[in-house]
Amino acid sequence: ESLRKYKEQLLGAAATGDLGDTSDPRKLVVTEFRVVFNDPAMEDLVFSLDTLAGKADLKKRGMTIKEGSEYKFRISFRVQHEILAGLKFCNKTKKMGMSQSDELMIGSYPPQTAPHVFEFPRHDWMEAPKGMMYR
């Protein structure tokens, strides 16, 4: 009984028949990856990832963040066909042989046409490495 109520609550728009794009076999479609800066003078870095060309562009160009700047990651994504449970956000940053990894459980999301938005970190800003050690 409680599992049934949980699924009904989680289904949201899917309970009314909104299952996303049923012709697309993917369950998760990341539509946009955005790096948001705390400094209003800096323009956000935006990557459209809903096509293979967008993914190839991000992989080819990469991204550069000014040292010492404060930033957040914002991901927009759609869930299609069925409930997506246990979605994780994994972030790995590399610089001159050193790497830092973050893994965070985002949660469970229902299928719907409108994109879900996740921001990391949720309450604060990350700071890009600075100083001679990171050059």
Side-chain angles (χ1 to χ4, degrees):
E1 177 68 24
S2 63
L3 180 61
R4 184 186 59 79
K5 286 182 181 180
Y6 171 73
K7 282 186 175 181
E8 286 175 2
Q9 181 184 16
L10 186 59
L11 275 173
T16 60
D18 184 5
L19 297 176
D21 184 3
T22 54
S23 63
D24 188 349
R26 300 176 290 178
K27 290 182 184 178
L28 175 70
V29 179
V30 178
T31 55
E32 182 183 86
F33 176 71
R34 180 181 293 259
V35 181
V36 181
F37 294 99
N38 194 16
D39 183 359
M42 295 181 72
E43 193 172 313
D44 292 352
L45 299 174
V46 181
F47 300 95
S48 179
L49 301 179
D50 50 353
T51 63
L52 292 175
K55 292 177 188 176
D57 182 48
L58 174 60
K59 190 172 185 177
K60 179 182 170 188
R61 286 186 7 201
M63 70 176 118
T64 303
I65 300 174
K66 183 178 174 184
E67 81 176 32
S69 61
E70 293 181 327
Y71 64 95
K72 289 183 179 191
F73 294 132
R74 185 176 298 152
I75 302 169
S76 300
F77 60 93
R78 287 190 330 264
V79 176
Q80 303 179 140
H81 308 295
E82 59 189 50
I83 296 172
L84 190 61
L87 186 61
K88 288 183 182 179
F89 173 73
C90 301
N91 172 39
K92 186 171 186 177
T93 308
K94 291 182 182 181
K95 176 72 176 183
M96 298 192 51
M98 297 175 64
S99 67
Q100 176 185 353
S101 296
D102 294 313
E103 188 172 299
L104 179 68
M105 179 65 74
I106 295 177
S108 299
Y109 291 91
Q112 66 184 33
T113 305
H116 300 281
V117 178
F118 176 75
E119 197 168 82
F120 175 76
R122 292 178 179 158
H123 304 292
D124 203 6
W125 296 89
M126 293 190 291
E127 185 177 349
K130 62 183 173 182
M132 288 299 289
M133 287 291 288
Y134 291 99
R135 290 186 187 164

